[in-house]
Amino acid sequence: MSEFLVKDGVKNLKKPGEKLVTTHCCYCGMQCGMHIRVNEKTGKVVGVEPRYDWPVTRGKMCPKGVTAYQTVNHKDRILKPLIKKNGQFVEATWKEAYDLIEKNFKRIQAESGKDAVSVFGGVSMTNEKCYLVGKYARVGLGTRFLDYNGRFCMSSAAGGFMKTLGIDRGSSLPLPEFEHTDCLFMAGSNTAECHPTMIQWLWKAKDKGAKLIVADPRETPTARVADVHLDLRPGTDSALANGLMHLIIKEGYVDYEFVKERCNNFEKLKAMVEKFTPEFTSNITGVAVEKIIKAAHIYGKSPKSIVTFCRGIEQQNKGVDNVSLYTSMALIRGQIGKFASGVATITGQGNGQGGREHGQKADALPGYRKIDNPEHVKYVAGVWGIKPEEMPKAGVSAYEMFDEIQKGNIRAMHVMCSNPAVSAPNLEHIWSGFKKLDFLVVSDFFLSETAEFADVVLPTTTWAEDEGTTTNLEGRVLRIRKVSEPLGESKADWEIMCDIAERMGKGNYFKYDNPKQIFEELRIASKGGKADYSGITWERIDKEDGVFWPCTSEDHPGTPTMFKETFGTEDGKANLAAVDWAEPGETTSNEYPLTLTTGRVVFHYLSGNQTRRVDFLMEQCPLPYIEIHPELASQYNIVNKDAVKITTRRSTMTVEARITKAIRKDTVFIPYHWGKELAVNLLTNPALDPVSRMPEFKVCAVKIEKD
């Protein structure tokens, strides 16, 4: 067990009979610094304290982080493997569970080929585990059908950054620089609720005179304090970004020297945005002309500015376009690669950055290499000790794997650290897919909605019972430290993958005794790739309190600020996006006259599989609800707390009304942290972005009625 001494100034946090272990939160991409309290006699986790010297969050924690320790010894923890018999789960030994998995995986692959078994990963795991998921699928099982839950979270940001900047790193600058900027432009991000420990940097910036612009259909707590709130119609971000760039060009705010030296496609962009006058943009977005003009002037005049965005603009069928356009807005101002200026996507999952870099994606290999590039395949195959021709081809995206199940091409699945039975769109299609599978294995520490469909459930460790690294939203690689021993018979995901690979006859490729050995292989596998970790070691992370990638050698300082001199494209120049606006995948009609958008609340995380088990968090927000504007509610004779039936072209659900002026009159909002009949993703549209394959969670047409 690793224990780090608490630094001066926080020694008073230590209580008699307890020790403090320094680590990071298990939830969002902020990866807040914390000390976990451990009873010295029992070894049990008993509490948490903030870490005041962590440079990213400086002692701040949100309600989820403060209570995260309560999941470690929770009464709902799965303590032994579970096997379903006659529709009911019964406890089993690990040997019985592994025997059943081996028997069924081998049978199905013998009957239908290697690709008949699939893997669905997750990015709340460490880098070591995420790296191993890709190797486990491609080497241990030999399947091309592999993807992960980041497809529902970060994939559009990745696609947009790769398209414009040539490298997908969540933030081009470190968070502490945010307080020194002159303008923060936040699009589709309710930072105050979704990443509350980040909001301190906003307040520090505003205290120094910075302006805040927020683009969001709702007047969120973040938008409430904005200098300009661009209350756009859901699905119109591309038009808004083009309209702002129209004015930036027209009013002479372009940094022409930067554009000439460091960007491509400016003339194409200029021609594209010419029609996006304030009036034209207002007609599309519903944002007042005066607001559009004011926002453009504030942003255009600011010497230093940062553009940030989140799932609001990314979870659309043109999320990559949205990201590319907002990034281009920063580029034509020359505001990337400079102090207190840049662009950032605010990562949703704890390891949303690292988890997408090292081979969990259907088309990617470690280091952000591409599986359709023969040289990339040759290099990684060499690291893994297989022949290049043995590397499976690219698979399909997370949602599309369920289409393959319906076609009969996928007959078995291993789901790790994910809950697609709640988090995927068009859930009845997902549920039908799980039922159609011949065999489903789920690795989790709670019996999630997905695990309920399983034939075998394998009990895994929580983040506090294993060690490794994660990468926060800045691109800073951190250390997660083991706090307590695994509860019951639970095992770490990496151990489980190694064990199953052994059963599948591939154990010689998975000889690891600890996560550090996996990280050492990851370093080699990522070397020379866009996400190069080869110069990062656990020892450096401990000594330097995190290391920013890319870091190409052990004497390389890491890269806190990206793109100072060049971009990650072939010619080193950024590619400005000349992209027209298009309607969302589903538009309103006489039958479905309103637009539904979805999002988080501060008290819950993702599918709620963890946070819905914490009493305090459930007391604060026990059930989902629908936000409705008073004028819209009056049309339907709905009052506060009435039951409201919401229907889309896919399904129906009923939740309680919450009447508020903090939302557009043509839009309704429902949070997404609940399962089964309370899952808003019963309603959402599976229309996929053509590049990222991200489903359109944020826009669909609905009708409502008083229930």
Side-chain angles (χ1 to χ4, degrees):
M1 181 181 297
S2 301
E3 181 182 5
F4 274 58
L5 293 175
V6 182
K7 294 184 179 180
D8 291 338
V10 292
K11 285 183 177 178
N12 60 312
L13 298 178
K14 189 171 181 180
K15 296 181 179 180
E18 294 179 0
K19 57 184 174 182
L20 300 177
V21 182
T22 302
T23 189
H24 294 271
C25 183
C26 59
Y27 290 125
C28 81
M30 291 297 292
Q31 290 292 274
C32 300
M34 59 168 58
H35 307 290
I36 301 292
R37 291 186 180 279
V38 182
N39 184 292
E40 290 186 309
K41 288 185 177 180
T42 66
K44 296 292 187 181
V45 171
V46 294
V48 65
E49 293 289 348
R51 185 181 160 196
Y52 295 99
D53 61 338
W54 172 238
V56 179
T57 50
R58 295 184 179 177
K60 301 295 190 295
M61 294 181 69
C62 81
K64 296 183 292 293
V66 168
T67 57
Y69 76 95
Q70 295 180 17
T71 63
V72 178
N73 297 306
H74 197 280
K75 61 180 178 59
D76 289 351
R77 283 287 301 274
I78 305 170
L79 303 181
K80 293 184 177 182
L82 303 176
I83 292 176
K84 188 172 286 181
K85 295 182 178 179
N86 300 318
Q88 300 294 321
F89 284 117
V90 297
E91 290 186 343
T93 65
W94 277 99
K95 182 181 184 303
E96 289 172 326
Y98 284 154
D99 284 347
L100 193 59
I101 293 168
E102 178 186 353
K103 174 185 174 182
N104 281 279
F105 279 5
K106 286 183 174 179
R107 173 184 60 82
I108 289 167
Q109 289 189 326
E111 293 171 354
S112 302
K114 295 284 188 180
D115 295 336
V117 176
S118 63
V119 176
F120 195 111
V123 292
S124 289
M125 297 187 288
T126 60
N127 287 317
E128 291 78 5
K129 295 171 185 175
C130 292
Y131 164 78
L132 208 62
V133 168
K135 185 178 178 182
Y136 165 70
R138 295 181 172 117
V139 178
L141 301 177
T143 181
R144 74 182 183 95
F145 284 128
L146 157 73
D147 210 49
Y148 75 131
N149 64 6
R151 188 69 65 177
F152 301 151
C153 186
M154 305 303 303
S155 57
S156 288
F161 283 157
M162 293 296 284
K163 182 177 179 180
T164 53
L165 307 177
I167 293 178
D168 165 32
R169 201 181 81 173
S171 178
S172 68
L173 73 164
L175 270 178
E177 289 187 12
F178 276 51
E179 70 171 288
H180 303 291
T181 196
D182 300 303
C183 177
L184 273 168
F185 187 105
M186 292 185 162
S189 172
N190 178 15
T191 310
E193 287 197 86
C194 300
H195 299 84
T197 59
M198 181 180 171
I199 208 72
Q200 63 179 303
W201 301 110
L202 184 154
W203 292 123
K204 289 176 185 290
K206 284 185 70 67
D207 287 346
K208 293 180 178 180
K211 301 294 185 182
L212 174 65
I213 303 167
V214 173
D216 199 301
R218 303 165 62 220
E219 189 183 48
T220 65
T222 312
R224 209 168 296 144
V225 297
D227 295 277
V228 184
H229 174 207
L230 303 169
D231 51 340
L232 75 170
R233 182 165 62 89
T236 61
D237 291 277
S238 294
L240 179 60
N242 278 331
L244 292 168
M245 285 193 286
H246 169 95
L247 287 169
I248 289 167
I249 294 170
K250 179 182 177 182
E251 299 297 329
Y253 298 135
V254 175
D255 185 335
Y256 283 102
E257 183 178 354
F258 182 94
V259 169
K260 181 180 179 181
E261 293 181 358
R262 303 199 58 191
C263 300
N264 297 317
N265 303 328
F266 177 72
E267 292 303 322
K268 291 182 180 179
L269 182 151
K270 183 179 178 181
M272 175 59 69
V273 303
E274 187 173 354
K275 68 181 179 182
F276 284 89
T277 64
E279 293 75 17
F280 182 79
T281 304
S282 178
N283 286 336
I284 295 171
T285 63
V287 180
V289 168
E290 296 76 14
K291 288 185 177 182
I292 297 170
I293 294 172
K294 184 178 180 180
H297 281 296
I298 290 174
Y299 180 73
K301 290 179 179 179
S302 297
K304 301 186 296 295
S305 59
I306 301 170
V307 176
T308 71
F309 34 79
C310 203
R311 308 301 82 74
I313 75 162
E314 297 166 20
Q315 290 178 326
Q316 298 183 28
N317 75 332
K318 50 185 181 297
V320 170
D321 287 350
N322 294 340
V323 171
S324 299
L325 288 168
Y326 280 121
T327 303
S328 296
M329 187 173 79
L331 285 165
I332 66 172
R333 284 285 297 119
Q335 297 289 353
I336 293 184
K338 300 177 180 178
F339 176 74
S341 298
V343 63
T345 178
I346 308 175
T347 310
Q349 295 192 64
N351 198 24
Q353 180 69 61
R356 68 185 189 259
E357 297 165 355
H358 297 303
Q360 277 196 105
K361 298 172 75 170
D363 58 347
L365 291 169
Y368 240 128
R369 289 181 166 88
K370 301 297 289 184
I371 205 164
D372 59 359
N373 183 313
E375 289 303 311
H376 291 186
V377 170
K378 181 179 179 181
Y379 179 81
V380 175
V383 175
W384 288 349
I386 64 173
K387 297 177 181 178
E389 56 268 26
E390 293 179 289
M391 185 75 75
K393 303 300 182 183
V396 298
S397 72
Y399 184 82
E400 290 170 301
M401 283 209 289
F402 289 88
D403 293 335
E404 296 297 323
I405 293 171
Q406 297 294 346
K407 296 174 186 176
N409 295 329
I410 291 176
R411 294 177 54 196
M413 180 177 282
H414 186 177
V415 178
M416 286 175 273
C417 194
S418 190
N419 191 13
V422 174
S423 61
N426 190 18
L427 282 179
E428 291 185 1
H429 180 65
I430 304 301
W431 298 346
S432 171
F434 280 136
K435 292 175 183 177
K436 187 171 182 178
L437 285 171
D438 286 16
F439 192 68
L440 174 63
V441 180
V442 173
S443 299
D444 209 327
F445 46 84
F446 290 134
L447 194 68
S448 68
E449 285 81 2
T450 299
E452 291 178 6
F453 288 100
D455 297 285
V456 177
V457 180
L458 302 176
T460 61
T461 54
T462 66
W463 103 106
E465 296 161 323
D466 197 19
E467 59 183 349
T469 63
T470 60
T471 307
N472 78 343
L473 61 83
E474 305 168 290
R476 190 190 307 242
V477 185
L478 319 168
R479 283 270 280 115
I480 303 298
R481 297 183 176 89
K482 188 175 181 180
V483 176
S484 62
E485 294 302 316
L487 199 65
E489 297 180 14
S490 58
K491 292 187 178 186
D493 294 272
W494 66 268
E495 294 179 284
I496 293 170
M497 286 185 274
C498 291
D499 289 345
I500 296 175
E502 176 75 34
R503 291 298 195 104
M504 298 300 289
K506 300 292 183 177
N508 57 313
Y509 299 100
F510 293 83
K511 298 296 185 183
Y512 310 104
D513 296 320
N514 53 63
K516 188 175 181 180
Q517 292 178 354
I518 302 171
F519 187 80
E520 289 302 309
E521 184 176 294
L522 181 159
R523 292 176 62 202
I524 299 169
S526 72
K527 186 175 179 61
K530 289 183 181 293
D532 192 328
Y533 281 36
S534 60
I536 303 175
T537 65
W538 281 22
E539 291 75 18
R540 278 195 67 181
I541 297 170
D542 291 344
K543 182 180 178 180
E544 301 172 29
D545 227 350
V547 181
F548 288 85
W549 72 264
C551 184
T552 56
S553 66
E554 290 188 36
D555 59 359
H556 187 284
T559 315
T561 302
M562 296 286 287
F563 314 120
K564 286 184 176 181
E565 298 177 356
T566 188
F567 293 98
T569 56
E570 287 189 13
D571 65 0
K573 291 187 175 184
N575 295 314
L576 298 172
V579 180
D580 203 352
W581 174 77
E583 290 280 1
E586 186 170 271
T587 57
T588 56
S589 64
N590 289 334
E591 185 177 2
Y592 300 98
L594 304 171
T595 300
L596 167 68
T597 192
T598 67
R600 293 192 191 189
V601 298
V602 69
F603 299 106
H604 289 292
Y605 176 70
L606 301 184
S607 73
N609 188 39
Q610 296 176 74
T611 54
R612 282 187 276 125
R613 300 175 197 274
V614 177
D615 291 342
F616 169 77
L617 300 177
M618 282 297 284
E619 288 168 4
Q620 303 305 308
C621 191
L623 294 168
Y625 51 85
I626 181 169
E627 287 186 356
I628 308 174
H629 191 278
E631 291 187 23
L632 178 63
S634 67
Q635 294 177 29
Y636 292 87
N637 196 30
I638 294 170
V639 298
N640 212 37
K641 296 189 176 182
D642 272 352
V644 177
K645 182 179 179 182
I646 310 101
T647 304
T648 68
R649 293 175 173 90
R650 289 156 293 283
S651 192
T652 297
M653 68 180 297
T654 300
V655 294
E656 184 177 280
R658 184 173 293 185
I659 311 302
T660 175
K661 293 182 179 179
I663 192 166
R664 291 177 56 91
K665 299 173 185 178
D666 56 5
T667 301
V668 293
F669 167 85
I670 303 175
Y672 60 71
H673 309 288
W674 289 264
K676 299 181 179 177
E677 71 277 0
L678 295 177
V680 69
N681 283 327
L682 283 165
L683 308 178
T684 49
N685 187 7
L688 303 180
D689 182 288
V691 175
S692 68
R693 315 310 288 166
M694 167 76 82
E696 190 157 51
F697 294 102
K698 289 296 186 273
V699 192
C700 69
V702 301
K703 61 181 177 182
I704 64 172
E705 56 188 302
K706 188 173 181 177
D707 195 39

